Amino acid sequence: MLCPQCREENLEGKPLKGILKVQLPESFRNSKNENDLFDIHNYLPVEKEYFPNLPVGNTPLIHAKNFQNEYGFENIFLKFDGTNPTGSYKDRASFLVSAFAKKFGLHEIVLASTGNAASSMAGIAAATGQKAFIFMPTNAPKAKLVQCLQYGATLIQIQGDYDKAFDLSLKFSEQTGFLNRNTAYNPMTIEGKKTSSFELVSQLKNIDYVFLPAGDGVVLSGVIKGFLDLQFIGLIKNLPKIIAVQAEGSRFLFDAFHFDKWDLNYKAATVADSISVNVARNGYCAVADLKIVNGDVILISDDEILSAQKQLSQKTGIFCEPSSAASFAGLLKIKETISKDATVVCLLTGHGLKDIDSAIKKVNFPNTFPPDLEIISKELKLNM
Ligand SMILES: *Cc1c(COP(=O)(O)O)cnc(C)c1O
């Protein structure tokens, strides 16, 4: 999966060296014009016939008009990946990994995950009859564990953090020969995650900004790969500005990008579990990609994340998980620097029901009542 030379330098607990990327054939360069129609399957490395029969991707793009009154922005769009079959953006990667495995006759897939990649791979493997072996830290949100078990995956809970689970799952793959789907390590994960960029350019013209949450930085590299491929093909001229958003308590990429600081002993802690990683496995690649496209990484606090989550729920009807709300919180953080008529997309990567323990922090449970409308109307201050 990795470059055979660079992989020799890899050490446990460090960002991966030698990550491979899928390359489009030279004949695709400028083979299309802007506004031409296209089929994403022509630009993926596995043929359509191998994909599981599940509606992954093609997620809705919602024009958040209610934020115009609030913040003056006319064109905020939310791409909601919570509508994927297992409820997160990870399905884009699992879908391609599963198709790849099927094409090459591989029946077992191994991965380490903080939750969403696991529940995603478990669900998609179930749809095709593949077996998923999942290494997960014990602190993953319960809903994500339950998903894995519902889908029938083999769950191996590790007493330790995600990084321990990551390294152990690689050894397990080496010893069993099973296909490993670890994020960044398996090139199909970056490639699968490029698909939202292809969808975006057919949903919206002239995108100025894309805000996305970043943990390991594979969504980041995937989205950038998508836009670079689109430019290579000739389907877009200019790239949007890519803004990766990290939690203050999980800032490995931020420090690497801005200060060239690679703290391998860093310990992350944030309410947004899906972007809580100590060492970003895709770190070298993500920082290089972001520099190529002149993007940026910004930080937001846990409180900003939970407030953004609640605002999204109450103003748009989209209940996303905290890590997803990070992208919108990032927009709010730097809104003064963005022109009010800019076209801005926030990727909302996961469904809110995946982690209700976090969402509960911003709601108050109401009192209970006796079955008596007089008392209820008094309490609600309604004249009935
Ligand atoms: C995995 C995940 C992310 C972050 O993706 P990385 O590739 O680790 O940066 C963001 N949001 C959700 C819901 C995720 O599951």
Side-chain angles (χ1 to χ4, degrees):
M1 296 267 176
L2 301 173
C3 158
Q5 270 158 28
C6 308
R7 68 169 294 154
E8 300 299 323
E9 296 171 31
N10 278 328
L11 295 172
E12 272 183 33
K14 281 184 68 164
L16 290 167
K17 287 197 170 162
I19 290 173
L20 301 177
K21 275 192 191 158
V22 176
Q23 214 170 358
L24 294 178
E26 187 54 34
S27 61
F28 284 23
R29 189 190 291 276
N30 294 324
S31 57
K32 293 256 180 207
N33 293 313
E34 281 176 285
N35 302 324
D36 277 356
L37 294 176
F38 61 88
D39 180 354
I40 174 82
H41 285 281
N42 294 336
Y43 306 107
L44 290 172
V46 181
E47 294 75 7
K48 204 171 184 171
E49 67 205 82
Y50 297 107
F51 283 84
N53 181 25
L54 277 177
V56 172
N58 293 315
T59 56
L61 186 70
I62 298 124
H63 191 175
K65 291 185 180 158
N66 287 345
F67 288 131
Q68 190 171 349
N69 297 336
E70 198 104 358
Y71 301 112
F73 286 102
E74 287 163 38
N75 296 308
I76 298 180
F77 291 86
L78 308 170
K79 188 151 174 69
F80 186 41
D81 261 57
T83 61
N84 277 309
T86 79
S88 86
Y89 196 97
K90 298 288 193 290
D91 284 355
R92 296 176 181 277
S94 303
F95 203 43
L96 183 57
V97 170
S98 171
F100 178 91
K102 180 145 191 210
K103 178 168 177 175
F104 294 101
L106 306 167
H107 303 293
E108 291 92 3
I109 301 172
V110 180
L111 81 158
S113 161
T114 60
N116 278 337
S119 49
S120 168
M121 195 68 248
I124 286 177
T128 47
Q130 291 160 335
K131 273 191 77 61
F133 292 85
I134 289 163
F135 288 74
M136 221 181 195
T138 46
N139 59 359
K142 217 174 197 159
K144 300 178 184 182
L145 285 174
V146 172
Q147 277 186 294
C148 293
L149 297 169
Q150 269 285 335
Y151 292 131
T154 303
L155 183 63
I156 303 143
Q157 277 192 286
I158 302 299
Q159 296 157 0
D161 55 19
Y162 169 58
D163 300 75
K164 284 267 170 333
F166 194 100
D167 292 324
L168 204 62
S169 74
L170 287 181
K171 282 191 192 140
F172 181 81
S173 287
E174 263 165 36
Q175 291 182 16
T176 54
F178 297 165
L179 179 69
N180 192 292
R181 180 227 179 271
N182 280 7
T183 195
Y185 177 81
N186 186 319
M188 297 300 130
T189 57
I190 295 181
E191 190 67 5
K193 286 179 177 181
K194 82 176 185 184
T195 52
S196 69
S197 303
F198 279 69
E199 290 167 23
L200 274 173
V201 303
S202 46
Q203 288 172 312
L204 197 60
K205 292 286 158 224
N206 302 321
I207 303 164
D208 296 308
Y209 289 86
V210 176
F211 286 79
L212 49 86
D216 276 314
V218 176
V219 172
L220 173 57
S221 284
V223 166
I224 291 174
K225 170 78 163 47
F227 283 115
L228 289 173
D229 277 3
L230 286 157
Q231 196 178 43
F232 178 84
I233 298 162
L235 284 162
I236 57 168
K237 289 222 156 57
N238 302 315
L239 302 175
K241 178 101 175 164
I242 308 285
I243 313 272
V245 186
Q246 290 214 288
E248 283 172 0
S250 179
R251 51 184 283 168
F252 187 88
L253 288 174
F254 179 88
D255 287 339
F257 180 79
H258 289 287
F259 312 122
D260 199 20
K261 178 177 157 198
W262 302 81
D263 180 1
L264 302 180
N265 297 313
Y266 182 73
K267 287 278 175 266
T270 163
V271 67
D273 70 287
S274 300
I275 50 172
S276 182
V277 296
N278 298 338
V279 173
R281 292 303 170 140
N282 194 44
Y284 300 132
C285 192
V287 166
D289 288 342
L290 209 52
K291 292 204 162 146
I292 288 169
V293 300
N294 191 27
D296 203 353
V297 194
I298 61 173
L299 293 181
I300 43 156
S301 69
D302 276 6
D303 194 58
E304 287 169 317
I305 290 176
L306 293 176
S307 298
Q309 182 188 31
K310 197 167 175 202
Q311 274 198 60
L312 285 167
S313 296
Q314 302 200 342
K315 300 274 179 191
T316 71
I318 299 174
F319 178 28
C320 63
E321 67 170 276
S323 59
S324 313
S327 62
F328 180 60
L331 166 61
L332 295 184
K333 183 99 185 192
I334 63 163
K335 61 182 186 302
E336 311 310 336
T337 67
I338 297 176
S339 150
K340 290 289 184 283
D341 59 2
T343 299
V344 180
V345 173
C346 294
L347 296 186
L348 304 183
T349 43
H351 202 289
L353 290 175
K354 279 177 165 274
D355 180 14
I356 55 169
D357 288 339
S358 299
I360 281 172
K361 294 181 178 147
K362 284 281 175 187
V363 297
N364 296 313
F365 279 95
N367 296 330
T368 57
F369 292 103
D372 181 333
L373 279 184
E374 218 170 287
I375 299 174
I376 293 172
S377 63
K378 218 181 253 165
E379 179 73 17
L380 298 182
K381 299 190 177 68
L382 294 174
N383 274 328
M384 282 168 55

